Amino acid sequence: MSAEVKPTRANKPFVFNAENEAKFQKLLTRYPDTAALNLPGLWLIQQQDGWISYEAMEYLAERINIPVTQVYEVATFYTMYNLQPVGKYHFQVCRTLSCELRGGEEILAHLTKKLGIKPGETSKDGRYTLTKVECLGSCGSGPMFQLNDDYHEWLTVEKVDEILAKLP
Amino acid sequence: MSKLITMNVDGQELQVEEGKNLIDALSAVGIHIPHFCYHPALGFDGNCRMCLVEVEGARGPQIACNTPVKEGMKVSLSSESSMNLRRKVLEFELINHPLDCPICDQAGECKLQDYYMEAGLSKSRMEVEKVAKEKNLDFGCGVVHDQERCVLCARCVRFLRKYTKTAELGIVNRCDKAKVTTFPEKPINNRYALNVVDICPVGAMTSRDFRFKQRVWFMSSEKSVCHGCAKGCSIYVDHNQEKYKAERVYRFRPRENAQVNGHFMCDAGRLSYRKENENRLTTAKASERFEAVDIATSQAVALLSAAKGKAVFIVSPSWTTEQMAVAKSLATHYDGYLSGYADGYIVKGDGDDLLLKEDKAANRASLELLGISTDRQKLISNLKTAEVVVVLNNDLSLTASDKREFEALFAGKQVIFVGSHRIALADSAQTVIPCASYTEYAGVVVNVDSILQEVTCAIEKECFARRPEQVMAALSGNAIKAELGAVRQQLSASVPALAQVDWNAIPENGLNLKGGAQ
Ligand code: SF4
Ligand code: SF4
Ligand code: FES
Ligand code: FES
C-alpha cells in the first residue's frame, strides 16, 4: 500500500466545472440516496483536478449531504484516489504477488532509477509521479503498471524504456 | 416484556425473551457473550467477529450480535471449539496491539484484557515488527485517542453519527493502516463527546480529565443521580480515599437507565463531579467571624427564636425531597415563610433533544409536590418584612439581576447561609454553616419527567460538614424530625404522589410517579 497521506489543502475552493456539474446532476437521478455519490463524486473531482484536495472533500460532503469524515473514509480506502497532486505522468506499479513473481521488483527499480524519484514521490518539475499499488487485476499479464489511464502489460526493462521514450 | 422462549446454552435449558439477539437475550439472564462492536444503543455492525458462537444446525459459527434467539435453539459458548474461535479472533486483535496495559487507563475495565484472560492466553506467533501508530492524539472535548490500542469496532464513529449526529470521527485507510481519526482541523465538538470514552471497549479512547488519576480497581462506585440539570441522569459515583489524602470523587459515569438517560450522559454533567471536590465551604461563621460550627448554630438558633414570624427560608431546588420536607418543618417551626424560588437555575436555550435540560435544578419537581412556592413576587414581598433570612444552599446569585435585587433586599437583615459551596453568600452572610453536598448524603430527587430516583451517599465527610437535614434539625433546636425514615413516613402520609413509594425498595431505574414502576 502506498504511504499514508493526509488531506492536503489546495488553498483554493473547489467547484465542479460545467461539464462535471452536468455529469453530477445526471448521477443524482441515478440513486435513491445522495450518499451513493460518494465514490463517483470523488472520481469526478479527480478527473477535473487530477487529485482530491481537502477543500474538494468538504465540497463533495456538502453536495451529497454526508459528513466529511465519510468522504475522507472512502477517499483513503481506495488507492485509486490521489490525495496529493500528481505529476503529468502517473506510474502506478503493481507490487502484488503475481507481478512480483514475474519481475515486478525489477521494473520498479528500473523506473526509480530512470525517473529519479522513489515510490510515493513526484519529480520536482511535476512531470512524473511514481506509486506502488496493490493488484490491478491484470495478474495474467504481469508485470504491469498503469500509466495515467492506461495499462502496460508484459513489461520488461526494454519495454519500459520504449514507453518512456515515447512520452511527449 | 415480550414472550419467553426456551433455548439451550451449553447444555443448560434457559428461558429468554423472544425478539432479541443472542447477546442481549443472554445478558438479561446473566450470560455474557464476548463482543466489541455491538452496543445496544448503537445496534449491530458485525465488524469485530468477537461474538462468534456455535449454533447447532447452522452452517458455521454465527455472530451473536445479529442472531435472533429462536425457540429450541442450541448454542455452545464454552466448548473447546467456541473458545478456539475466540482465541483466533483475539490473536488477530493483538497482532499490532502495543500491550501497554500497565500505563493504560482502561486496564481493569478493558474488554480486550478480560477476553484474553478468558480465552486468549496464546503466545504471539508474529515475527515481524508491529505497526506503530500515533498515541495521545487530542481529538477535542477532552477525548484522547490512542490508535495502537484501537480494535476498530467503530463504536465511537457510530455514536457520533447516530446519537449526536455530529459525525466528527471516521475510520480512514485500510488493513493494518486503518485508524480512527477526525477530519484535519475539525476536532470533536459536541456536548456528549466523552461518552466515546465509556463505549470504547478498550483503552483507545481516554478522557483527558481522568487520565492517570486512578487505577479503576482502587475506586468504589455508588449508584446516584447527576445534579447537573433537571434530567437527573443515573450515574455511578467513582470515589477513593488515597493514603494520607481526603476521600474524593474521581469521576461520574453514566449508569444505564432506559427510563431516564439510556446509556449516556452529557459532558457537563460528567465533569460536574469536580464541584464535589472544589470550592467547598468548610468553615462556619457567626457574627461575621470564623467560629466552630456549634457556636454558629447556636447563634443562628438565637437569631431565629428572636425573629419568630419574621423569618424567610429559601431552599435549594436541588436538595432531596426529604431535605425539602425538613426545610418545610423548619419554616413552620419558626412560623416563617418558605420559598423555593430558583429562576436563576434556568439557563435559556441550554437544553437539547438528547438529555440536557434548561433547568439546572435537580429536584424542582419536588418543590411542586411539597407545595413549596417558587414565586418571585411572593418571596420579595415576604423578604421586605423579614428580619432574618435563612438561605438553604439556594444560589441566588446565578443571574446578575437577581444578585443585585436580593443583595439589596438582604441589606440590614440577619442572613444565615447553610451551604455546601463557597458561593457569594458564604462571604456576605453574617452566619454561615457548612453542610454536605449530594455525594455525601442519601435521599431522593424527582426529575423533570416525574421519575423519582435515589441519591446515595458515596463519601462521608462527617469531620466538617453535617448533612443538610442534620443542620436544619440543629437550627430548630432539635425540635423537628430530620431522621430519614421518619421524614419519609411523613412524606408518604402527606404527599399523595408519594403515598405508594416503598422507600426501602426504590427500583434502581427509579419510580415513575406518573405511571408507577417501570
Ligand atoms: S477508538 Fe475504541 S470505540 Fe473507537 S473504533 Fe477504536 S476501539 Fe472502537
Ligand atoms: S443531562 Fe443533566 S442530568 Fe444528565 S448528565 Fe447532563 S447535566 Fe447531568
Ligand atoms: S498481481 Fe499485478 S495485476 Fe494482479
Ligand atoms: S459484536 Fe458481533 S461482530 Fe462485533
Side-chain angles (χ1 to χ4, degrees):
Chain A
M1 179 176 306
S2 55
E4 188 197 324
V5 275
K6 282 212 169 127
T8 310
R9 281 187 183 275
N11 291 321
K12 58 173 200 276
F14 180 90
V15 255
F16 281 138
N17 57 27
E19 184 196 342
N20 285 330
E21 181 61 38
K23 284 189 192 162
F24 179 77
Q25 289 301 333
K26 201 158 160 226
L27 285 167
L28 273 177
T29 62
R30 213 150 98 186
Y31 307 100
D33 188 344
T34 52
L37 265 61
N38 202 349
L39 280 159
L42 284 168
W43 193 240
L44 278 184
I45 292 169
Q46 183 154 312
Q47 279 181 337
Q48 182 169 320
D49 272 7
W51 68 293
I52 299 156
S53 65
Y54 183 100
E55 292 87 347
M57 281 190 235
E58 282 187 316
Y59 172 80
L60 181 63
E62 213 164 286
R63 289 297 306 267
I64 62 177
N65 199 21
I66 60 171
V68 68
T69 48
Q70 216 168 312
V71 176
Y72 184 19
E73 284 179 335
V74 167
T76 53
F77 186 88
Y78 296 103
T79 48
M80 69 182 183
Y81 294 124
N82 304 323
L83 299 190
Q84 269 173 356
V86 289
K88 187 169 172 209
Y89 299 108
H90 185 192
F91 292 86
Q92 303 185 59
V93 187
C94 172
R95 48 142 280 171
T96 305
L97 188 66
S98 305
C99 288
E100 205 79 333
L101 289 172
R102 303 263 303 144
E105 210 167 340
E106 201 187 332
I107 300 297
L108 184 67
H110 187 63
L111 267 176
T112 306
K113 205 171 79 203
K114 289 288 271 209
L115 303 179
I117 47 175
K118 288 202 218 61
E121 288 178 356
T122 299
S123 63
K124 284 213 177 67
D125 58 4
R127 195 170 153 82
Y128 304 115
T129 297
L130 182 59
T131 325
K132 284 197 285 187
V133 297
E134 300 299 333
C135 176
L136 289 171
S138 185
C139 330
S141 44
M144 62 82 69
F145 60 57
Q146 180 180 341
L147 172 53
N148 291 351
D149 290 336
D150 298 321
Y151 276 17
H152 296 266
E153 298 159 315
W154 307 110
L155 291 173
T156 57
V157 169
E158 295 72 37
K159 220 165 154 190
V160 171
D161 286 338
E162 247 171 69
I163 294 165
L164 286 177
K166 276 201 212 126
L167 287 180
Chain B
M1 208 183 202
S2 60
K3 213 177 107 200
L4 288 181
I5 55 160
T6 306
M7 60 175 292
N8 187 304
V9 178
D10 288 335
Q12 193 196 345
E13 293 270 301
L14 288 173
Q15 303 260 301
V16 298
E17 242 182 280
E18 194 186 32
K20 290 187 163 176
N21 65 42
L22 270 170
I23 293 186
D24 285 343
L26 292 190
S27 101
V29 295
I31 300 175
H32 180 79
I33 301 181
H35 62 278
F36 291 123
C37 69
Y38 177 71
H39 187 286
L42 305 173
F44 96 99
D45 205 43
N47 72 51
C48 75
R49 319 313 279 185
M50 191 64 231
C51 65
L52 283 173
V53 294
E54 291 188 314
V55 180
E56 200 180 272
R59 278 208 305 198
Q62 302 292 307
I63 48 172
C65 59
N66 193 31
T67 305
V69 287
K70 280 201 204 86
E71 179 69 45
M73 188 177 214
K74 280 194 180 152
V75 174
S76 115
L77 292 180
S78 51
S79 65
E80 184 46 36
S81 48
S82 299
M83 292 305 254
N84 211 18
L85 283 172
R86 253 169 260 162
R87 205 168 291 140
K88 282 177 178 158
V89 172
L90 284 168
E91 187 173 18
F92 275 117
E93 294 295 5
L94 290 165
I95 286 178
N96 287 312
H97 187 279
L99 303 180
D100 52 357
C101 311
I103 52 152
C104 177
D105 271 304
Q106 191 86 357
E109 51 187 14
C110 174
K111 292 294 171 206
L112 190 55
Q113 246 181 4
D114 293 352
Y115 302 156
Y116 177 78
M117 296 314 287
E118 238 172 69
L121 294 176
S122 49
K123 264 213 152 132
S124 174
R125 290 186 286 166
M126 294 301 290
E127 280 165 8
V128 295
E129 241 177 84
K130 294 196 180 218
V131 177
K133 291 188 196 167
E134 282 178 271
K135 292 175 111 55
N136 194 7
L137 289 170
D138 187 348
F139 272 1
C141 288
V143 176
V144 181
H145 182 59
D146 184 309
Q147 289 175 339
E148 295 185 330
R149 295 178 189 156
C150 174
V151 295
L152 294 167
C153 69
R155 275 189 185 181
C156 54
V157 174
R158 288 182 287 145
F159 171 80
L160 296 174
R161 290 192 184 166
K162 291 185 174 174
Y163 190 76
T164 61
K165 307 213 162 55
T166 45
E168 296 96 331
L169 292 180
I171 296 181
V172 301
N173 304 328
R174 53 168 146 160
C175 310
D176 55 6
K177 299 280 194 304
K179 58 179 191 180
V180 170
T181 187
T182 54
F183 195 64
E185 293 160 52
K186 294 206 172 149
I188 301 182
N189 182 17
N190 67 71
R191 302 205 287 174
Y192 297 86
L194 288 167
N195 288 297
V196 304
V197 177
D198 299 327
I199 59 173
C200 178
V202 297
M205 293 290 190
T206 53
S207 145
R208 174 79 68 212
D209 178 74
F210 180 70
R211 263 164 89 85
F212 311 134
K213 296 275 165 32
Q214 280 291 296
R215 303 273 28 178
V216 297
W217 53 85
F218 289 140
M219 296 190 295
S220 318
S221 295
E222 250 59 55
K223 296 192 180 92
S224 196
V225 179
C226 173
H227 277 42
C229 81
K231 186 73 185 178
C233 295
S234 300
I235 55 169
Y236 288 109
V237 176
D238 290 347
H239 58 101
N240 182 28
Q241 176 165 23
E242 283 191 338
K243 226 176 179 181
Y244 312 124
K245 284 189 189 161
E247 170 132 46
R248 50 168 287 178
V249 181
Y250 283 93
R251 62 177 180 180
F252 285 169
R253 276 179 302 137
R255 176 162 58 88
E256 188 190 340
N257 185 347
Q259 254 195 138
V260 181
N261 52 310
H263 292 79
F264 308 119
M265 75 188 294
C266 79
D267 290 358
R270 182 189 296 267
L271 296 177
S272 70
Y273 82 89
R274 294 178 183 154
K275 292 194 199 138
E276 296 301 285
N277 303 323
E278 287 164 10
N279 201 29
R280 293 298 299 274
L281 180 60
T282 53
T283 43
K285 257 179 16 180
S287 310
E288 307 194 26
R289 283 183 25 206
F290 291 117
E291 288 286 3
V293 173
D294 289 340
I295 293 177
T297 311
S298 353
Q299 172 119 355
V301 173
L303 286 169
L304 280 166
S305 307
K308 268 215 162 173
K310 289 194 194 94
V312 166
F313 298 81
I314 310 171
V315 69
S316 162
S318 293
W319 268 6
T320 64
T321 313
E322 295 91 336
Q323 287 158 357
M324 287 179 183
V326 178
K328 230 173 135 174
S329 311
L330 179 64
T332 313
H333 178 73
Y334 286 111
D335 201 8
Y337 176 78
L338 175 65
S339 169
Y341 171 74
D343 286 2
Y345 284 72
I346 294 171
V347 183
K348 281 261 172 310
D350 198 57
D352 60 30
D353 303 337
L354 296 172
L355 297 170
L356 274 156
K357 298 288 166 198
E358 288 183 341
D359 186 1
K360 304 302 167 196
N363 198 14
R364 188 182 298 268
S366 287
L367 290 171
E368 199 181 315
L369 285 177
L370 299 187
I372 299 172
S373 163
T374 53
D375 189 83
R376 181 185 167 91
Q377 280 320 314
K378 276 199 197 134
L379 170 61
I380 289 175
S381 64
N382 275 284
L383 275 174
K384 284 191 176 136
T385 56
E387 282 172 8
V388 177
V389 188
V390 184
V391 179
L392 300 166
N393 214 22
N394 186 321
D395 193 350
L396 292 159
S397 63
L398 288 171
T399 40
S401 57
D402 271 359
K403 184 171 161 22
R404 251 177 283 122
E405 179 145 19
F406 286 105
E407 259 167 16
L409 283 163
F410 286 0
K413 299 187 168 69
Q414 281 293 332
V415 180
I416 302 169
F417 175 63
V418 177
S420 53
H421 287 75
R422 294 201 49 188
I423 58 173
L425 264 180
D427 291 327
S428 60
Q430 296 94 328
T431 311
V432 172
I433 303 168
C435 69
S437 186
Y438 66 95
T439 50
E440 300 143 16
Y441 55 64
V444 298
V445 289
V446 182
N447 85 348
V448 63
D449 303 312
S450 297
I451 314 273
L452 176 139
Q453 290 189 86
E454 223 169 356
V455 175
T456 50
C457 175
I459 292 180
E460 300 265 359
K461 279 203 175 130
E462 298 278 5
C463 47
F464 63 82
R466 295 176 185 159
R467 296 182 187 157
E469 58 271 26
Q470 294 171 326
V471 175
M472 288 187 281
L475 284 180
S476 75
N478 290 319
I480 58 172
K481 276 191 218 159
E483 191 264 321
L484 211 56
V487 177
R488 287 175 165 182
Q489 242 173 23
Q490 175 199 325
L491 275 169
S492 292
S494 60
V495 183
L498 302 176
Q500 298 308 321
V501 177
D502 178 355
W503 297 97
N504 294 319
I506 298 167
E508 276 184 12
N509 281 4
L511 203 63
N512 190 339
L513 295 183
K514 286 208 176 110
Q518 184 206 344

